[in-house]
Amino acid sequence: MTDLVTFGETMLRLSPPGDERIETADQYVVRAAGAESNVAVATQRLGLDATWVSKLPDSPVGRRVTGELASHGVETDIVWSDEGRQGTYYLESGESPRGNNVIYDRADAAVTTATPDELPVDRIRSASAFHTTGITPALSETLEVTTQTLLEAAADAGTLTSFDVNYRSKLWEPEVARETLTELFPHVDVLIVAQRDAENVLGRTGEAASIARELAEEFDFEVTILTRGSEPALAVADGTTHEQPTFEATSAHPVGTGDSFVGGFLSQYVAGESVETALEYAAGTAALKRSIPGDIAVVTPTEVAAVIEGGTADISR
Amino acid sequence: MTDLVTFGETMLRLSPPGDERIETADQYVVRAAGAESNVAVATQRLGLDATWVSKLPDSPVGRRVTGELASHGVETDIVWSDEGRQGTYYLESGESPRGNNVIYDRADAAVTTATPDELPVDRIRSASAFHTTGITPALSETLEVTTQTLLEAAADAGTLTSFDVNYRSKLWEPEVARETLTELFPHVDVLIVAQRDAENVLGRTGEAASIARELAEEFDFEVTILTRGSEPALAVADGTTHEQPTFEATSAHPVGTGDSFVGGFLSQYVAGESVETALEYAAGTAALKRSIPGDIAVVTPTEVAAVIEGGTADISR
Amino acid sequence: MTDLVTFGETMLRLSPPGDERIETADQYVVRAAGAESNVAVATQRLGLDATWVSKLPDSPVGRRVTGELASHGVETDIVWSDEGRQGTYYLESGESPRGNNVIYDRADAAVTTATPDELPVDRIRSASAFHTTGITPALSETLEVTTQTLLEAAADAGTLTSFDVNYRSKLWEPEVARETLTELFPHVDVLIVAQRDAENVLGRTGEAASIARELAEEFDFEVTILTRGSEPALAVADGTTHEQPTFEATSAHPVGTGDSFVGGFLSQYVAGESVETALEYAAGTAALKRSIPGDIAVVTPTEVAAVIEGGTADISR
Amino acid sequence: MTDLVTFGETMLRLSPPGDERIETADQYVVRAAGAESNVAVATQRLGLDATWVSKLPDSPVGRRVTGELASHGVETDIVWSDEGRQGTYYLESGESPRGNNVIYDRADAAVTTATPDELPVDRIRSASAFHTTGITPALSETLEVTTQTLLEAAADAGTLTSFDVNYRSKLWEPEVARETLTELFPHVDVLIVAQRDAENVLGRTGEAASIARELAEEFDFEVTILTRGSEPALAVADGTTHEQPTFEATSAHPVGTGDSFVGGFLSQYVAGESVETALEYAAGTAALKRSIPGDIAVVTPTEVAAVIEGGTADISR
Amino acid sequence: MTDLVTFGETMLRLSPPGDERIETADQYVVRAAGAESNVAVATQRLGLDATWVSKLPDSPVGRRVTGELASHGVETDIVWSDEGRQGTYYLESGESPRGNNVIYDRADAAVTTATPDELPVDRIRSASAFHTTGITPALSETLEVTTQTLLEAAADAGTLTSFDVNYRSKLWEPEVARETLTELFPHVDVLIVAQRDAENVLGRTGEAASIARELAEEFDFEVTILTRGSEPALAVADGTTHEQPTFEATSAHPVGTGDSFVGGFLSQYVAGESVETALEYAAGTAALKRSIPGDIAVVTPTEVAAVIEGGTADISR
Amino acid sequence: MTDLVTFGETMLRLSPPGDERIETADQYVVRAAGAESNVAVATQRLGLDATWVSKLPDSPVGRRVTGELASHGVETDIVWSDEGRQGTYYLESGESPRGNNVIYDRADAAVTTATPDELPVDRIRSASAFHTTGITPALSETLEVTTQTLLEAAADAGTLTSFDVNYRSKLWEPEVARETLTELFPHVDVLIVAQRDAENVLGRTGEAASIARELAEEFDFEVTILTRGSEPALAVADGTTHEQPTFEATSAHPVGTGDSFVGGFLSQYVAGESVETALEYAAGTAALKRSIPGDIAVVTPTEVAAVIEGGTADISR
């Protein structure tokens, strides 16, 4: 049986090598990248049995995506389509003051037309948990409906539902996002939201802890996690607030840190561990991710444990 | 003053290195590729003063295109747009029996919305020659109108108009193409068409020479060129038929051979050389192109001359 | 349910890029390579549901192997071991007169200690077919016993058993091989053997067709396939001899041609197609493989069909 | 009309990838690099219409230089020569305590024989501004005369003249430099000099501000800029001293920082902006450059503005 | 005459490029790496005439090792063997918290069977100095005997003997190591040991200085060097204790730092310089190494001198 | 004792990867390349003890040259100079009709000032054989005298002298070459000359065999070898003419074929083998070279023997 099903878009990420620029590079490094598949991979690598569900163009480019995800052990359950394109994004990385630059080219991806009819809803119903993010309903009106339907189906079936707000300003306006999200929240058990999104999108103000508690109460989430960049993350569960500091880490590969946090959390929480344990694991996975190229947390449980125990997995000879 | 203006789409071409597969490669080689810009570059390198006119997204990805074209000396006159994407295509190459594989991802490119209003029509009017291809009107209804308008404007101004049929079955049906093309032909002075397209799209039958003569008469072209793969090309001008055999060449990099032929031809014909001379140059440029990676004929007049004279530009030490 | 289980060793293949030499290269390209996993991947890509069973060191190097196989959709069912190393081989390729050069470094691989007790024998029993090769029993005495046991278990359970002789002179002497193999053959349904091995190892002489018939009769194989390099392959089944010519193909990437042939055959035969159909598919897959870098047939059913129909999958634009 | 003409040498820069060593690397990364063309590119990218004038060998190696410059939109006006070589330099980069290492191989470059007769002096006369550096007269006696002539011609025609001292100890002795430079200074409007060069070459002592004022008065420069590494730069204009701190930046790619500073300054000053504005832009461009591989500031006005406004152009999603 | 002979294993080091992971990389960078050959190269580059003695498989893989060492000027005197493999190790590097990861694959290397009979003992006898490390006797019982024999032979012949404890926990237990090492120590003149190994393996406790003095007295070493990571190294010689702080350096390429320290020391001490001078050179070489990819100190005497003098060998133009 | 000393220039060869163009490539592959060092390496690899003597700039670039040569076991005896540059050449390769293109940048190389006083003439006197080529005296007037002096010294000392005419039209005129060469020939024992050079430079006409005999008689060479591209080579020795056909080989890497032929010949002839045997070895080495990237014959005696025996060293598994 599947422990976790995730649903969403995975793009091909095209990056100039090292710190070259998009404008002048002659090669782009190719990687699969998507919030929900990032989570599926992280949980699979950390012990769950994960499946990623989506819709992709029936082409070598689409298979490039599933091949990379499957290489980490994730099962992919795909609607292969003759219509719609493979979404891509261009990412370049540079040291300060240049920073990272992202150019999305994801319009009209095959996934934007995915309907519940064609998706394996039964797998979601029979899984222990289901996870998606706020990116998915933002991609198209069809996906807004589909996301709602899948969350409802999962909730009805007793599948734990997890949702990461993951607001993307290039996809929708805060007001639109707020409206859509608050319709989805009643079907959500575990909510993850960055403090910045809680403020700008959900319109919350005040101290982090009170924001978390407020959200927890308003939507009756089982677990409400507020992430805060390099500040400690907060989780409210059963009326208790847990605080989890971040582990020190490089900023070499920040993209995917948030998804790794969620993957680390779910890998433990879905397996029955406590919120505290899961949070610690989340922070350890996120820290490790920042040292790993690509969007995906190519980590092992041993490595996460080593980070939590305060050391690094440095050379043992 | 500009000798030649070309108008059309240029894509980013993404290719796995060597003979790797799209599905499994971890890097893609990036190159600018477009029928009309290929012609602009070839003519610029072979002596003309060429300008490529188009519409591109105002982003590093769009500048990646103009940067590569400008590096060959071509002037680029671009409508920079906040709407529309950068078209791309995936190309993989393999030896027999695998062959080459192309996956277009060009829908909704910025250029598809280009209207005569925003384009530098005066540059076309004041140029010696204007060139576009059958790909351009096939990309959108807007571009169908724009192509018609630009050809008319050029013809009115006494600018020599050149048109390569370049039928793309992935863009439109033969019947639709035929109808559109025959509306454009009255404004065309130099027509280049592959025998295959003359048959399948324009509905011609019979011997190559009679097809060429028929087309020349029907549309009153100044020059009508029928290309025939590895068979000799035919040109009808002033009622005379010229035959130009191909030069022996590798099949290492076939993509762009046709555009190189056109570029070689125009580089001479626009400069006032005879049809025979221009045809020979066309065949020499096309042969050389097949040894050069990418879509673009990175050649010099000296190299083309060497091929025509029957040798290769091999090591002189 | 699994259609096909294969069992054997997969090595990491280390190759200098292009036609560089092992001795002077500064980078080696890394790929997974193993006769039985090559077959598993080919059949999975061509429509079966395939599982590869083996024993690997519990390390990033071992996971490098499963990651690549899983990226093609194959399920991997692995005994992860703290003992034994990851076998490797160095391969360099050069044009004539240099040829290819192979240096094995596979002694003491973890798989050499794999016993039936630790392997998922039930998966073999419940699969439609089981495949292994003559390399496996040659790797260690333990594996000789294990191979025998697995073939017997499969045969007992009614699983179709397939065996490719695949003689490796660097692993054992012909006489030893002959003795071992003839003990395994009674449990084999489909035998694949190169004519060269039938002669040198199995001691057969005479015309190819009579060798195939002799082997078929002596060991009562359901299907007996004799491969003959660029000459037509022969198959004897139900007393009938089928001949399947090879398709023309490059010699760019010959390593893995034989495994691709077997994979193509089993993908059809296990799915219920006739010996003739399966043989044709085998030849088509083998031809395509020769254009593809690495040991693995990264092919699609559409591409194999195109080769069989006599064309190539060349550019369609 | 051209806003800015620059004149000088551009070399091919050959660098081992990453932090490899010149002595042991098997590939060198190739880039165009020259103080005056670096400035031309920076100003072009930041809004001016720039032309780089020089003399190069008529070969693919020479065209490698113009191709890269032209890709940034700079016009190149070149005397193509059959004599003289393409200057090169080898650069390796390493972290502390290794640092960067430069080996020049620029003797007898084609440019060293460039005379005013063959150069497009009229373009300089009709441009808004002309820029060169102390490297140019140091390269040959011919170039010493040519530099003098071009500066005089520009000054006579009312073209703003800009000069960066850019002392190179590998090219000439301080005393020789001093003598030559003081003959050129009367024709210079905007002087840029590092405090170190002002001291060691021009023999100045004392506080930075007084050095700048002294130079300004002695040679009657319109603007006198003293750069001081990571310390604030000073500019004296109209009797006022402006101070511009540096923006924090990585030291990943320091080569070309000074040219980027000059390019940033001229892009604004030639466009009519104030000295303060131009200085700020100079510092912003220089900071950004340090994050960009190669000698050239591959930047946009938007990025420079972001640095000045205190942020980075980091990921917006 | 040879100044220094070293004896030991050299492996092929296989590393993913940059900070890629072993598990997901598609290329591995190949380098020669061995404690004793690292020392030989460092001393050769710093002025000695060094020879590395070992046993390698007679194959391109074995020649890959000698080719790289010889490229630095080291003479290699090799027993080429048809038995035994080329030892390898996988190394990946990542920023914190990931750190470096090493996977040895060195069992059954050809060198593990090397006996004094086949090795050029006379070269050791006639050299000024002989160096090996604690890795060598740990590799096999044969090598334990061989190490003892070679050290005795050197000591008998008056060759200075140098020994770096270099404890490897993956090769042997501390107790076994201690027993073996204390049998070797009577034949050793110069001992180098990390404080950590002095404690964990040799069972010493207390202050660093007293550990060093104790060891010096107990085994009557000519020089006893205690290295202490980033803390100052200590050397006891002639009853005097010398302290040598480390020079500040990057941690980009830490592997091989210790061998570079030893190489720097021996390059001076064997050449007749004082212990103080040699220690300073050791620290300078070690600091530089940390900026250089691979295991080997690709340095020059000029560069080491620059580090000692407190600067870096940064750009001089 | 050294078997063979060679003297001449070695350049750094800079080549775009694969079939990229010099003008557009972003990386150049770096290799050592020189007629005389090519011969030294080939003979060393094929069993002789070879030394290459030259003068190089004392820099990482100069050491890049000796490092690569030494990696093949050749001893390098170098005058390290603070004057003079490292000669380079740019080489690009393409399939027909493009061919190979060479751009020399070798003027003022350090070696052009090498005088007998600074070179190790005693090593030449005490060696079994000395080899140089017609490139060396063509590089400078100093080298013309040096070549003459070294050949005389060798001849006086009884060292076998070998000379490959190797005419380079980019270095000198045929008439000048002829005059210089005919002054050197009296000191030469083994002459190798391409038929083309014998005709164009030495002014010979007629059948190949009679040209060879004429030269042999006129200059009293011990062995006179006439190479003829893909036609059989001829050797006249002791009044007998030997004919040696070429072995079939790829044309992938033709540069260095001639030097490999000479290296193959000398490796046997200096070792005491007959002219016939040496010629066959020469042809085998030359054939193999054509499959090997770079200028250098990275071959083994086993591989040459395999080519001579008519097979290839293809996969044995």
Side-chain angles (χ1 to χ4, degrees), chain A residues 119-142:
Chain A
L119 294 170
V121 180
D122 283 351
R123 296 197 74 147
I124 295 172
R125 290 177 176 280
S126 65
S128 303
F130 172 67
H131 174 78
T132 191
T133 79
I135 296 170
T136 310
L139 291 172
S140 70
E141 289 180 24
T142 302

Side-chain angles (χ1 to χ4, degrees), chain D residues 89-239:
Chain D
Y89 87 95
Y90 300 88
L91 170 73
E92 81 171 32
S93 302
E95 291 191 45
S96 175
R98 202 171 106 211
N100 294 310
N101 190 20
V102 166
I103 300 170
Y104 285 122
D105 183 16
R106 68 202 302 183
D108 297 321
V111 75
T112 57
T113 63
T115 59
D117 289 357
E118 56 190 352
L119 294 170
V121 181
D122 282 352
R123 296 197 73 147
I124 295 171
R125 289 177 177 280
S126 66
S128 303
F130 172 67
H131 173 77
T132 190
T133 78
I135 296 169
T136 311
L139 291 172
S140 70
E141 289 181 24
T142 301
L143 280 181
E144 189 183 328
V145 176
T146 298
T147 307
Q148 178 92 21
T149 308
L150 296 184
L151 280 170
E152 283 175 16
D156 288 356
T159 301
L160 180 88
T161 55
S162 163
F163 191 89
D164 182 355
V165 167
N166 240 341
Y167 176 68
R168 292 286 183 269
S169 63
K170 293 192 173 175
L171 293 178
W172 52 358
E173 295 299 313
E175 302 73 32
V176 182
R178 185 181 190 169
E179 193 175 333
T180 299
L181 293 171
T182 49
E183 281 174 35
L184 299 175
F185 284 175
H187 313 293
V188 168
D189 298 318
V190 177
L191 183 84
I192 304 99
V193 62
Q195 183 172 0
R196 188 189 48 209
D197 292 349
E199 293 166 357
N200 298 343
V201 181
L202 304 181
R204 309 293 153 156
T205 56
E207 299 249 325
S210 69
I211 292 177
R213 278 195 304 271
E214 240 182 74
L215 287 170
E217 280 161 29
E218 181 172 341
F219 295 102
D220 197 23
F221 296 126
E222 184 176 313
V223 185
T224 310
I225 300 176
L226 198 75
T227 60
R228 303 162 65 214
S230 57
E231 306 265 304
L234 300 178
V236 174
D238 282 331

Side-chain angles (χ1 to χ4, degrees), chain D residues 268-284:
Chain D
Q268 302 308 107
Y269 191 70
V270 172
E273 297 293 335
S274 70
V275 170
E276 289 94 330
T277 299
L279 272 182
E280 197 176 43
Y281 222 79

Side-chain angles (χ1 to χ4, degrees), chain D residues 14 22-23 25-30 60-61 63-64 85-86 88 90 103 105 108, chain F residues 14 22-23 25-30 60-61 63-64 85-86 88 90 103 105 108:
Chain D
L14 302 168
I22 291 168
E23 183 181 333
D26 276 359
Q27 298 214 19
Y28 293 157
V29 178
V30 185
V61 188
R63 290 194 298 273
R64 177 65 185 70
R85 48 187 295 274
Q86 172 59 45
T88 64
Y90 300 88
I103 300 170
D105 183 16
D108 297 321
Chain F
L14 301 169
I22 290 168
E23 183 182 333
D26 276 359
Q27 298 214 20
Y28 293 157
V29 178
V30 185
V61 188
R63 290 194 298 273
R64 177 66 184 72
R85 51 187 292 275
Q86 172 60 45
T88 63
Y90 301 88
I103 300 170
D105 182 17
D108 298 320

Side-chain angles (χ1 to χ4, degrees), chain E residues 33-72:
Chain E
E36 297 84 2
S37 55
N38 291 348
V39 169
V41 170
T43 58
Q44 175 79 31
R45 294 190 63 98
L46 295 173
L48 296 192
D49 191 3
T51 296
W52 175 68
V53 164
S54 195
K55 187 173 181 178
L56 287 171
D58 189 6
S59 77
V61 188
R63 290 194 298 274
R64 178 65 185 70
V65 168
T66 53
E68 184 169 339
L69 300 180
S71 76
H72 297 285

Side-chain angles (χ1 to χ4, degrees), chain F residues 40 57 88 175 180 197 265 315:
Chain F
T88 63
E175 302 71 34
T180 300
D197 292 348
F265 183 84
I315 299 179

Side-chain angles (χ1 to χ4, degrees), chain E residues 92-116:
Chain E
E92 81 171 32
S93 303
E95 290 192 44
S96 175
R98 202 171 107 210
N100 294 308
N101 190 19
V102 166
I103 300 171
Y104 285 122
D105 183 16
R106 66 202 304 185
D108 298 320
V111 74
T112 57
T113 63
T115 60

